[in-house]
Amino acid sequence: MTDTARRWRTLDAEPGTVLLDGFHALKHALRFGAEVLLAVAEDREAALALARDLAPDLVPALRGCLEPVTPDVLRALVPRPHPTGVAALALRTRAADPAEAAPAVILDDPRHLGNIGAVVRLAAGCGASAVYTTGTVDPWHPTVVRAAAGLHFATRVEHRDAAQLPPGPLYALDPEGEDLRGLPLPDDALLAFGSERHGLSPALRAHADHLVALPMRPQVSSYNLATSVAMTLYHWMAQRPGRPAAAG
């Protein structure tokens, strides 16, 4: 076993360590202030070339932290290596509070890891203040972080019991609710979305201040969870031109 592999195994066993799977996860983690403990690449020069094309601001940081490993070593460290051949370990940290008030997303007992990751990515892009999950799934599971492209470090991502949710008016998405298109969403709203199979739990639905419905063609069962979150956050953004600030 190489020295890099030994250090990886030691760090990976530490509590609070999260896997960054792929170049884009590492890129976003570095941009949003993650403490990267160890980063590896099966083709270091190819990874740096990718950085020059997609993230020139990070070339110096990546040149300083990427360690070369063989493809066999990478496969031994990461169960399913990313096509970019890059992986890293970082400390799981809480993102800074946003400068301006923004809604938080609540996923009520979500089950699909890819959906949770997609929602984290949406929340980061739309400027939501947080993503909270209830239920049994760890929102920092490696598959979730991979699906979110490492954007857990750009917005707060936490597991919470329903009784521990932050204060704010609770807007719960439900087919029996008021049409979202005619409803303003305040900046301190808590936007609650039910699980993919069972919808909102009775407990969370009972505590809702408002039930909100997404417009949908009759006889269509439902939208995908991430799609529902995207529609709702876009509705909030559309009420406030310039939020979040436009970026190239």
Side-chain angles (χ1 to χ4, degrees), residues 103-114:
V105 174
I106 300 167
L107 302 182
D108 188 21
D109 195 18
R111 305 299 178 88
H112 192 282
L113 300 175

Side-chain angles (χ1 to χ4, degrees), residues 196-216:
E196 297 89 342
R197 182 175 294 273
H198 301 294
L200 287 168
S201 65
L204 196 58
R205 191 180 191 277
H207 282 89
D209 298 296
H210 306 274
L211 294 180
V212 182
L214 295 172
M216 187 164 53

Side-chain angles (χ1 to χ4, degrees), residues 178-222:
E178 183 179 351
D179 191 323
L180 175 68
R181 291 173 292 183
L183 188 66
L185 295 175
D187 291 341
D188 62 346
L190 305 177
L191 308 175
F193 301 82
S195 70
E196 297 89 342
R197 182 175 294 273
H198 301 294
L200 287 168
S201 65
L204 196 58
R205 191 180 191 277
H207 282 89
D209 298 296
H210 306 274
L211 294 180
V212 182
L214 295 172
M216 187 164 53
R217 181 181 178 183
Q219 298 184 326
V220 175
S221 298
S222 64

